[in-house]
Amino acid sequence: MQSLRYLVAVTLGVTVQAALGFLAGPDVLTFAIVAVVALVIGRTGLLGDQGP
């Protein structure tokens, strides 16, 4: 189960980065938005121990 959550966490991270990087372009603001989105996803509890 932990491996599956880890896989989901990595996949979500790559997807968020790719989507925002493609839509907003490579910029410092994009990096900040990706970081905030990743923190929010990690704090939701959906990823279990892999979130924090």
Side-chain angles (χ1 to χ4, degrees), residues 1-13 37-52:
M1 195 57 158
Q2 288 299 326
S3 297
L4 181 60
R5 286 181 177 165
Y6 181 77
L7 181 64
V8 170
V10 170
T11 303
L12 277 174
V37 170
L39 286 171
V40 169
I41 291 171
R43 294 293 179 179
T44 60
L46 297 174
L47 300 175
D49 292 339
Q50 300 300 326

Side-chain angles (χ1 to χ4, degrees), residues 1-34:
M1 195 57 158
Q2 288 299 326
S3 297
L4 181 60
R5 286 181 177 165
Y6 181 77
L7 181 64
V8 170
V10 170
T11 303
L12 277 174
V14 170
T15 303
V16 167
Q17 174 61 42
L20 288 176
F22 179 73
L23 293 174
D27 193 15
V28 174
L29 181 59
T30 305
F31 176 78
I33 293 170
V34 169

